Amino acid sequence: MLDKIREECGVFGIYTKTNTNVSMSAYAALYALQHRGQESCGIAVNNSGIINYKRGMGLVNEVFKKEHLEQLNGGKIAIGHVRYSASGTAHHHNTLPLVVKHVKGPMALSYNGNLINAPELREDYENKGAIFHTMSGAEVLAYAVTEQRLVCNSIEESLEKAMYKIKGAYSLAIMSPKKLIAARDPNGIRPLCLGELPDGAGYVVASESCALNAVGASFTRDILPGEIVVISDEGINSITTHCGNKSALCVFEYIYFARPDSIIEGVSVHEARIRAGEFLADEHPVDADVVIGVPESGLDAALGYAQRSGIPYGIGLIKNRYVGRTFIQLSQETRESSVKIKLSAMKSVISGKRVVVIDDSIVRGTTMRLIIKILREAGAKEIHIRLSSPPFKNTCFFGADINSKGALIANQKTHEEIRQEIGADTLGYLSIESVGKIARSANCEFCTGCFSGKYPIEVPDELPQDKFDLKLNS
Amino acid sequence: MLDKIREECGVFGIYTKTNTNVSMSAYAALYALQHRGQESCGIAVNNSGIINYKRGMGLVNEVFKKEHLEQLNGGKIAIGHVRYSASGTAHHHNTLPLVVKHVKGPMALSYNGNLINAPELREDYENKGAIFHTMSGAEVLAYAVTEQRLVCNSIEESLEKAMYKIKGAYSLAIMSPKKLIAARDPNGIRPLCLGELPDGAGYVVASESCALNAVGASFTRDILPGEIVVISDEGINSITTHCGNKSALCVFEYIYFARPDSIIEGVSVHEARIRAGEFLADEHPVDADVVIGVPESGLDAALGYAQRSGIPYGIGLIKNRYVGRTFIQLSQETRESSVKIKLSAMKSVISGKRVVVIDDSIVRGTTMRLIIKILREAGAKEIHIRLSSPPFKNTCFFGADINSKGALIANQKTHEEIRQEIGADTLGYLSIESVGKIARSANCEFCTGCFSGKYPIEVPDELPQDKFDLKLNS
Amino acid sequence: MLDKIREECGVFGIYTKTNTNVSMSAYAALYALQHRGQESCGIAVNNSGIINYKRGMGLVNEVFKKEHLEQLNGGKIAIGHVRYSASGTAHHHNTLPLVVKHVKGPMALSYNGNLINAPELREDYENKGAIFHTMSGAEVLAYAVTEQRLVCNSIEESLEKAMYKIKGAYSLAIMSPKKLIAARDPNGIRPLCLGELPDGAGYVVASESCALNAVGASFTRDILPGEIVVISDEGINSITTHCGNKSALCVFEYIYFARPDSIIEGVSVHEARIRAGEFLADEHPVDADVVIGVPESGLDAALGYAQRSGIPYGIGLIKNRYVGRTFIQLSQETRESSVKIKLSAMKSVISGKRVVVIDDSIVRGTTMRLIIKILREAGAKEIHIRLSSPPFKNTCFFGADINSKGALIANQKTHEEIRQEIGADTLGYLSIESVGKIARSANCEFCTGCFSGKYPIEVPDELPQDKFDLKLNS
Amino acid sequence: MLDKIREECGVFGIYTKTNTNVSMSAYAALYALQHRGQESCGIAVNNSGIINYKRGMGLVNEVFKKEHLEQLNGGKIAIGHVRYSASGTAHHHNTLPLVVKHVKGPMALSYNGNLINAPELREDYENKGAIFHTMSGAEVLAYAVTEQRLVCNSIEESLEKAMYKIKGAYSLAIMSPKKLIAARDPNGIRPLCLGELPDGAGYVVASESCALNAVGASFTRDILPGEIVVISDEGINSITTHCGNKSALCVFEYIYFARPDSIIEGVSVHEARIRAGEFLADEHPVDADVVIGVPESGLDAALGYAQRSGIPYGIGLIKNRYVGRTFIQLSQETRESSVKIKLSAMKSVISGKRVVVIDDSIVRGTTMRLIIKILREAGAKEIHIRLSSPPFKNTCFFGADINSKGALIANQKTHEEIRQEIGADTLGYLSIESVGKIARSANCEFCTGCFSGKYPIEVPDELPQDKFDLKLNS
């Protein structure tokens, strides 16, 4: 309902030495990763080489009923996935983990990211006789691995070879009959970290460290850009053939995508957001009475702005946590009334005040306009919008759903036009320079492509549209 | 999952002059009142004298599907209800609004509160031949009104007479074929307010003002303790026969039950909580590095404590908003791991710090013990628990689910025993004196019975147990 | 889909000496009685005086899931119900068994029939302060019993007294904390029989004997018209105060309502139908090549007709057993195509033949017209319709859904008009004289009111409409 | 519940010249074919080259809700499928139609039968890099077609080439962006027929002619063994390269699988069953009082036996049509009681009689033993079992689920042992000679492999087990 850029996925994998309740761990972990994908989810469990799975459209608590977890019970290895998707591909058959059978047996695969050359690869495979069941990049990945499986001795070697072919962002977890494999693209665009279960009981990989906590695992380290981690009965092994490239972690993971309690590349997401608020206070100071955050994504930066500026921090907007995907709008109801049900202003905090409002970003500007309207109705005297990221001006090719520049208000209008359209008194964005410093102690460089237009690897002019459904000849 | 005292209900009613979409308004209002009852909900719509309804176990977004709202579409009057219930009576047949047919036609009834003399009244009615379908006090209320309906000329007169008989707390909405009636018990123990739709389109009553905002209505006033408000085609009318008693609004509405953006008896709930935090800082100061709130109920008071004490405010605990009622626990999972999935500590805020933790109250102490454990694991050096209410020591007879003193840790143990059991370095409660002042500008007095043992009306020794299921003779 | 007169209910009750699985028995019995009511069903179980229940709209296999039976498990007494209802009252709140609490504890009640004086009784009770939750006659019955319960010593005495007040057809099962009571109206209009579980384990009552077989009980006897049977720990007892009236069993139970393997008043339903076919052959002979029955209700009589006439019996129409209540008709689909999906003609049996088609009755004639069309398309040379009942010309006041004479083609049109409208070559009905003889060895007389207009007790001019929803004054 | 050999599938396809409601037609047709597969079903619709689909576990009326049909609305071509499956593969991912994308665009495929060489083909394709998502032979078929698609000019040419590779029984419907293709294996083991919509509106293919009637189409002809029928905007075209082999229609289609109103290879299924009954009367005469059929599969043959023998035909067993897949058995309930709920004996027909009981076949004998028990309890004096097929002694390699000889009582025991085990007085099977003549006027020869062990094509020693799940190396 609130127009936000969406991260497209969260990935989880667990390997235990003895049969423990891996499906239950995956279930708990998907709750922790739910913010990375709320459209569909799934869990695949390897029970002595037989891979069973359950996937479905909806949130974890909608898809998984007790009987599903009971049916998936047992097994030593599991992988899980939460997913968003570009509009139009929200079909059941695109849910992950992908579970297939190939020349060496069953395989399950979860991934987060976007392959730039998926269409070309797909066409190649089709021209060799491949059949595709889904529109997902995961199936292209599966073919790339399977292709190498014909000539390689192990699944990890197959993946290593396949990684020469696939271009783009990917953090993935693959489950074979006997192994759990995790890997990250050579630029490390999407996060992926490794954890350990207590008492040497096993290993866990996850898109974010918050999922490690959820299953009682301790954080070990981030998986390196380009690294392949292989977990099996023989322990844990690392293949670093593809390592050594310039890293380019998506900086928006810190600003919005990740959960504040996650730690990515050694930096607390919460702290990075606090710092973004501080930089914002330096770059765009204003004389005001209160600083408020748009819940929940703006709260941390609002605290940082308040602390640095000395303006009091207030709780000025309340979010109704019961309004979810399934809120019913009968025809006569407008978008505006929906926002009013979801967000309400705290009159006593706002009324008669000059208010600094912090949010992470503006996409189309429609929600911000309504938020300002609600605040004005609550009596705000002045409204100063501060955003903890630079303006979105460019497509993301690596898994966030900025697939058309035309939908980005900052790409279409001037700063002043935007200010007027949303109805703010002033409007300030964090600069590109500062965004690069919010996680300055991180062990990595950042991708700021959506802000700067500069990408870590060569990208096409436009995000390639899938051309499969257009092949109508027969 | 978190052990909290639960408010037992939320009430809503709407009267429109022309057929507008009253079911849709009720639906939106129930979202706004959902925090007052998450076990079941219902809407009854009066369409030209025919009362249709839909009730069910679960949250608003679980019970109502598009087809239900479409079936309920049309009509000029509607009432709605959200409900918690004492354990054991969580049955479909206890969902509200109650919809019955009596001597003058159909009637629907929603109520929030608890009738002290329900068992006696019920026995009386049974001894005259009455049949009961539910275990709900609403059905006793319905009989009390119906009994008078035999000798009175109108439903409001019937209710006026019935109010001489019923004892306890009640805020209610009654829908007859042509009227919407709202009433509040003579002490005004539970809140109930009146609002107006724009352009004179109609009237709204709701347990909290946040529900008025949700339907686009403006706040008019609180309904007076003892007042009966009658809304019909002839406009709005007030019966004040039962007014004039000493008011005794439940003070815990300010501390925990109500939504922070609601205004009750002229006082912002959010401000009352800020003030509770300030008083707490005065009464229980401590040398510390950061003040954090337990989300979401402790956040406002934490801000008040921080502001008054000068200790920085921090966001130290994150709540996973996806973990709901339906989280599945397979046998091997413990309560502790569930809390870890629901709450996580922000290491960067906590680690190495002396932390003041603000929450609204402690009931059994089990959750607080786990929160403190999580904070210690995150590296907290000292943990100082501050509660924005006095210790719970007594039963509530008026609709909150404190039905057994034995479950209250503060009734069973000393201050020091509690501190040790939960593992805090220090523990401080808001005093009864201060709690009476958090909403000092309110137009009313307060009930502090659960803290002080002093109740606004005479109460029995124990909350009467329902004896109906024990009648086994035939 | 096929226009048929519908029986409105089936009743079941079981009493066991030790806790056996009474809910499972009720579940099995409701399958056996499902033909008597497919709109809703329910089971109430008495577990040590606590009555739990599950009711719902739909077939037994739709309403009851494994968890429901498990929740209802345990207990010594249970009653069940399957229900049709007049159009417009198909609401969840009208499902049975009714479960209420009254002066002496909980009570559950199932009934089959129709009370002629329900509206008057209901008004009486309302005028004394009664509240009604449903539109069901069962609630009137419950009040009639409860009213007496105030002055009587036992539930059976209360029922005995109540039976002086209630007029009409009723076969009922009542469950009190300690007893199972079954009763039949003084004319015995609806069937009800008694059975015994093996090894003296307990007793069973059911609308039809086929339900006894389903639970492994043996048939003991029909309950007498006017009899009250009381089953408790003290064994079985009979109250016969209301016995001795002229019996008047609904003859249409033999023709259509009951299952062919049931035995009612000593006569096999199947045999009665065979005999109806034989009488029909005598009364309306025709020169033809094959006799077919409309499945499933016409098959038995077709066999009787064939045997008596010497014309070969054939299987000429096949019914698709998968097409049920939930067949979806998109707008462009007509009633005709639905009938074609449900029924198909056996070309090889029909083509070029003179066909005698036997069905039980014609209501509106719409389906028969389509059947004849299908048979003609399959090549039938001549079609001779024979009906194993006389023409429906009158309202039923006793529980079958003939509630408006206007909908009965035989009430509106002449024999010749009907023949033409349905497109038959000839049309013959069983005579009222013969219908009285199809169960000639039965221990009872019959009600033929819907055919003859002669009713066993005084009836109003019209089936009283429920006036409750029309009371709009307040 | 009743142990029966199950046909594994039903196939449907429709091609219309203008956009008509093809999904609704597919829906109606699947109802007509439901007897061929009750475990899962699906419909795929081609809407201007985009193939949408809905598949699910369960009956047509369980899987398809109104919204699904509305979503599938529109389009000119559709295919549908109903399915049984061997135990263990009853997974959602095996439901059909299979919908994939390959080198030339999307393709959907339904099939009925079994490919003998599927495991070998699958291994071949895997060794070339193929990925499999399902355990279904349909996916092997899809690869066989796709492989040729790389070198052929059209989908029909690809299928023609693929048919040189695939061995076994298959009747299939393939939908490409612009065409509907139907084909039958060279021996025509499973049926498949062609029909025409009125007014030249389009064409229909279906496993049985009863599905043509359901959509208002007229029967044109059976598709020839080995024929490929291509339907497109250019009309209908036939490829007969694979025709000319000795036909070998599964004779059990006449005896049990097909619906009695279907006509296969010019012979009415109902007539073939009547004839089976007549032959049985000739081969196994007996002195008896009544002939009854086990509903529903034994009714036709019972009529034939009665007519030929002169013994009266009776309706001696009633089947409860409400007891379906979802009947719940709590632990204490036995298989016997379930059969009693499903089948009941007509005492008045059976008692004291010498009864000839006709059924189509015996598989394990368990149900027949219970039927005989029920009949004896109903008073049958003698019970003479007559089966309208020879004894099952051999595996079926062509799509019926006789996958293990060990489960076949006739393979394990002697005639006398079987008679004793089931408790019959006498037992008679139709001879293999006669079974070949029940459809003597058919335009084809028959496969009697399950009876005779003689198969139309070379078969392996055992039905190949799927070895995919056993590949555990990685």
Side-chain angles (χ1 to χ4, degrees), chain A residues 21 23-24 27-28 31-35 38 59 61-62 64-66 69-70 73 210 213-216 259-263 268 270-271 296 299-300 303 307 312-315 318-324 326-330 332-333 337 340-341 344-349, chain B residues 21 23-24 27-28 31-36 38 59 61-62 64-66 69-70 73 213-216 259-263 268 270-271 296 299-300 303 307 312-315 318-324 326-330 332-333 337 340-341 344-349:
Chain A
N21 201 356
S23 61
M24 191 61 209
Y27 173 72
Y31 268 107
L33 297 172
Q34 184 80 83
H35 61 288
Q38 297 170 41
L59 297 172
N61 79 10
E62 294 166 332
F64 287 94
K65 304 300 168 205
K66 197 166 188 191
L69 289 183
E70 285 167 354
N73 215 347
C210 64
N213 303 339
V215 303
R259 221 167 76 170
D261 57 327
S262 284
I263 290 169
S268 153
H270 174 65
E271 276 190 0
E296 314 192 2
L299 298 181
D300 292 344
L303 199 52
Q307 286 167 353
Y313 173 79
I315 297 173
I318 293 289
K319 187 171 165 189
N320 186 325
R321 64 184 190 276
Y322 303 105
V323 179
T326 57
F327 184 79
I328 302 161
Q329 284 185 279
L330 295 187
Q332 52 273 58
E333 297 304 306
S337 69
K340 276 193 179 169
I341 289 161
S344 39
M346 206 76 88
K347 217 171 201 160
S348 63
V349 175
Chain B
N21 201 356
S23 60
M24 190 62 209
Y27 173 73
Y31 268 106
L33 297 171
Q34 185 80 81
H35 61 288
R36 295 183 75 84
Q38 298 169 41
L59 298 172
N61 79 11
E62 293 165 332
F64 288 94
K65 303 302 168 202
K66 197 166 189 193
L69 289 184
E70 285 168 353
N73 214 347
N213 302 340
V215 303
R259 219 168 76 169
D261 57 328
S262 284
I263 292 169
S268 152
H270 173 66
E271 277 190 358
E296 313 192 4
L299 298 181
D300 294 342
L303 198 53
Q307 286 166 355
Y313 173 79
I315 295 174
I318 293 287
K319 187 172 164 188
N320 185 327
R321 64 185 189 275
Y322 303 106
V323 179
T326 55
F327 183 80
I328 302 159
Q329 285 186 278
L330 295 188
Q332 52 272 60
E333 296 304 307
S337 68
K340 277 194 180 168
I341 288 161
S344 39
M346 204 77 86
K347 217 170 203 164
S348 63
V349 175

Side-chain angles (χ1 to χ4, degrees), chain C residues 21 24 27-28 31 34 38 61 64 259 261 268 270-271 300 315 320 322 327-328 332 341 344 348-349, chain D residues 21 24 27-28 31 34 38 64 259 261 268 270-271 300 315 320 322 327-328 332 341 344 348-349:
Chain C
N21 199 355
M24 190 61 209
Y27 173 72
Y31 268 106
Q34 185 80 83
Q38 298 170 40
N61 79 11
F64 288 93
R259 218 168 76 170
D261 56 327
S268 152
H270 174 66
E271 275 190 359
D300 293 343
I315 296 173
N320 186 327
Y322 303 106
F327 183 80
I328 303 160
Q332 52 274 58
I341 289 161
S344 40
S348 65
V349 175
Chain D
N21 200 356
M24 190 63 209
Y27 174 71
Y31 268 106
Q34 185 81 82
Q38 298 171 40
F64 288 93
R259 219 168 77 170
D261 57 327
S268 153
H270 174 66
E271 275 190 1
D300 293 343
I315 296 173
N320 187 326
Y322 303 106
F327 184 80
I328 303 160
Q332 52 273 61
I341 289 160
S344 40
S348 65
V349 175

Side-chain angles (χ1 to χ4, degrees), chain A residues 285-443:
Chain A
V286 66
D287 218 12
D289 303 310
V290 67
V291 178
I292 67 170
V294 176
E296 314 192 2
S297 54
L299 298 181
D300 292 344
L303 199 52
Y305 194 103
Q307 286 167 353
R308 175 70 61 107
S309 65
I311 304 167
Y313 173 79
I315 297 173
L317 284 164
I318 293 289
K319 187 171 165 189
N320 186 325
R321 64 184 190 276
Y322 303 105
V323 179
R325 290 182 316 110
T326 57
F327 184 79
I328 302 161
Q329 284 185 279
L330 295 187
S331 52
Q332 52 273 58
E333 297 304 306
T334 66
R335 176 175 174 78
E336 184 172 336
S337 69
S338 299
V339 172
K340 276 193 179 169
I341 289 161
K342 185 151 194 179
L343 276 181
S344 39
M346 206 76 88
K347 217 171 201 160
S348 63
V349 175
I350 300 302
S351 184
K353 302 278 180 55
R354 295 169 302 169
V355 187
V356 180
V357 180
I358 313 287
D359 203 356
D360 60 281
S361 61
I362 289 182
V363 184
R364 294 192 303 276
T366 45
T367 299
M368 186 53 84
R369 193 177 55 77
L370 292 170
I371 289 173
I372 291 173
K373 189 156 183 268
I374 288 169
L375 293 171
R376 295 233 185 258
E377 287 170 5
K381 215 165 67 184
E382 291 175 14
I383 296 177
H384 303 279
I385 300 300
R386 296 294 177 269
L387 301 163
S388 57
S389 64
F392 282 127
K393 296 199 167 175
N394 303 284
T395 301
C396 173
F397 294 87
F398 303 124
D401 71 340
I402 318 181
N403 44 30
S404 158
K405 294 180 188 178
L408 300 169
I409 193 171
N411 183 278
Q412 301 290 311
K413 307 206 173 182
T414 66
H415 187 277
E416 174 57 16
E417 284 169 344
I418 298 170
R419 188 196 62 75
Q420 285 187 23
E421 181 161 324
I422 63 176
D425 291 293
T426 69
L427 168 66
Y429 292 93
L430 189 66
S431 65
I432 292 185
E433 293 65 43
S434 294
V435 85
K437 294 177 201 153
I438 61 173
R440 60 196 151 195
S441 63
N443 317 312

